[in-house]
Amino acid sequence: MSGPRLNGTVLAGGGDWSSTRGDVCRLDARYLLRADDGADIDIINRGYYHELPGGTEQFDDGVRVSEESSYFRTAPTFRTDAPAHLWLARTVFIGLAREEDEHIVIRCYAVD
């Protein structure tokens, strides 16, 4: 995981669950991130996925953040006691997700 304010590694042992009703898949993922400074950050990431015919790809500063044929959004929440990362636990985030090279890539945005 890398970004302008946080870099780290997702640790093994997390899990994800989904339930589908009709065409909509509800997502629930839980995992632990070890920040580059050694702090552990617990992440709960819930969201929705469904096909979106006629949608368009979205880009942010030249980086593809969503696919043209799907709605794939998440709302990650973070828990940590590390003083340097408390801002994560005090901020609302929205994630735009996509599949890339058999991995799920999520670009998170803080809602100010």
Side-chain angles (χ1 to χ4, degrees):
M1 177 178 168
S2 64
R5 293 185 67 187
L6 179 64
N7 294 293
T9 303
V10 176
L11 302 178
D16 59 84
W17 300 265
S18 65
S19 60
T20 302
R21 287 194 174 172
D23 296 333
V24 177
C25 183
R26 184 177 183 273
L27 311 164
D28 185 350
R30 297 164 189 232
Y31 41 97
L32 192 63
L33 177 79
R34 175 136 319 130
D36 284 353
D37 64 4
D40 289 332
I41 301 167
D42 183 37
I43 303 169
I44 298 174
N45 201 0
R46 294 186 171 125
Y48 293 95
Y49 172 87
H50 62 82
E51 295 297 316
L52 188 63
T56 59
E57 287 183 311
Q58 292 177 306
F59 292 85
D60 181 5
D61 231 4
V63 175
R64 184 171 62 103
V65 295
S66 70
E67 296 175 1
E68 65 182 81
S69 61
S70 64
Y71 178 93
F72 196 173
R73 305 290 186 269
T74 68
T77 57
F78 301 85
R79 290 188 319 176
T80 186
D81 291 331
H85 304 294
L86 287 177
W87 66 275
L88 292 164
R90 299 175 179 160
T91 305
V92 172
F93 293 90
I94 299 296
L96 277 68
R98 69 186 188 289
E99 187 174 342
E100 185 176 293
D101 299 327
E102 298 183 20
H103 292 85
I104 301 300
V105 178
I106 305 170
R107 187 162 179 116
C108 294
Y109 296 90
V111 179
D112 293 325

